[in-house]
Amino acid sequence: HGSGAALPPLDACVRSVTLATPDRGLVTFGAEDEDPSLFHLVRAGLGMFGIVTQMTLRCVPAHNLVERTYVYSRERAAKERDELLKKHKHVRYMWIPYADAVVVVVSDPEGSAEAEGFLPQEEDADRKRWRFRPLVDLLETLHHERGETPRAEDVGRMGFGELRDRLLSHAPLDPQHVRRVNLAEAEFWKRGHGAVRVLPSDKILQFDCGGEVRPAPSKIPTRRADLCRF
């Protein structure tokens, strides 16, 4: 995924790809080929054309980013979207359903005009517990409703993504339960409004997504067996 208006998705950074193919052996495709049309297909082919054995990427020098996190209403996030994308190198939005809250994360290179004046903030243990309190309180409430007692040492070791996953696992397909979890998550982010971090770009641009995939299997009937030959 791209992380800013002027930054393309990762596949645009691929300069060449070498594939192991079943009938032609190792084949290399590159952006500088006389006819790069196959390269453009292969670089985003998700493995359909062969097994990728080697890849050349266009990279930039390692650098620090200054990250700021805010919580906007949906109306404000929509209103300021274009301005934020124009002003900041990296912009990320995380809309929280059932809550009028959009987490807006902006990042700019350390030393740039956009990052000037923002200093990282040290978070002590008490403040961190206060910030996580909405999620922990809800987890304790859910265990109490089931007549269970959560282990305090387990809860204390959980990060945000793991804690949210644990909360959702109680009733992941119940909209009312998801709403309770999302409201607690919104409060968690609001307590971190204005937070500043300065870290290497590879640390800033990754994030704790959490969640899980629940596939829905499907079957497609065919009339003739020979249609399914491989």
Side-chain angles (χ1 to χ4, degrees):
H1 306 284
S3 63
L7 299 175
L10 180 61
D11 67 275
C13 298
V14 178
R15 306 309 298 160
S16 69
V17 179
T18 299
L19 301 180
T21 65
D23 59 343
R24 295 177 57 190
L26 293 177
V27 183
T28 298
F29 303 89
E32 306 301 325
D33 291 351
E34 183 176 345
D35 179 8
S37 57
L38 285 177
F39 164 72
H40 294 310
L41 294 174
V42 166
R43 70 178 183 177
L46 302 177
M48 292 187 294
F49 299 99
I51 299 173
V52 177
T53 62
Q54 185 173 325
M55 181 181 296
T56 302
L57 298 174
R58 183 176 68 244
C59 301
V60 299
H63 59 283
N64 283 345
L65 289 174
V66 180
E67 177 196 80
R68 287 87 76 204
T69 300
Y70 307 104
V71 180
Y72 288 0
S73 67
R74 281 179 286 181
E75 180 181 2
R76 181 182 177 186
K79 181 179 180 180
E80 298 186 16
R81 178 196 60 190
D82 293 343
E83 180 183 349
L84 289 169
L85 288 170
K86 182 179 179 180
K87 181 178 180 180
H88 301 288
K89 184 174 183 179
H90 304 279
V91 182
R92 186 171 80 239
Y93 295 96
M94 292 179 285
W95 169 56
I96 304 177
Y98 302 106
D100 186 18
V102 180
V103 182
V104 179
V105 184
V106 299
S107 301
D108 296 287
E110 189 176 28
S112 66
E114 291 76 16
E116 186 177 353
F118 293 97
L119 300 176
Q121 303 160 345
E122 295 293 334
E123 184 178 54
D124 59 28
D126 288 340
R127 180 171 177 80
K128 183 176 181 179
R129 281 193 294 269
W130 172 79
R131 190 162 53 87
F132 275 78
R133 199 70 249 173
L135 300 171
V136 174
D137 285 348
L138 179 56
L139 182 62
E140 291 175 348
T141 298
L142 293 172
H143 279 287
H144 177 74
E145 292 172 355
R146 292 185 173 192
E148 303 169 348
T149 302
R151 295 175 55 184
E153 60 272 22
D154 289 343
V155 174
R157 286 197 297 264
M158 290 183 189
F160 162 71
E162 186 179 2
L163 189 53
R164 184 181 60 178
D165 286 350
R166 178 72 67 85
L167 288 167
L168 289 171
S169 69
H170 282 255
L173 301 181
D174 181 353
Q176 292 304 315
H177 174 71
V178 174
R179 182 178 183 275
R180 292 175 72 186
V181 175
N182 286 6
L183 290 175
E185 179 184 347
E187 181 60 28
F188 162 82
W189 285 111
K190 288 176 181 178
R191 294 185 178 199
H193 178 86
V196 178
R197 296 195 304 165
V198 179
L199 290 171
S201 59
D202 61 316
K203 301 297 183 182
I204 290 290
L205 297 180
Q206 67 161 347
F207 62 98
D208 189 358
C209 180
E212 57 186 72
V213 177
R214 294 177 174 268
S218 59
K219 297 179 181 179
I220 303 175
T222 59
R223 294 183 179 180
R224 291 165 40 192
D226 61 353
L227 295 177
C228 297
R229 288 179 180 170
F230 294 94

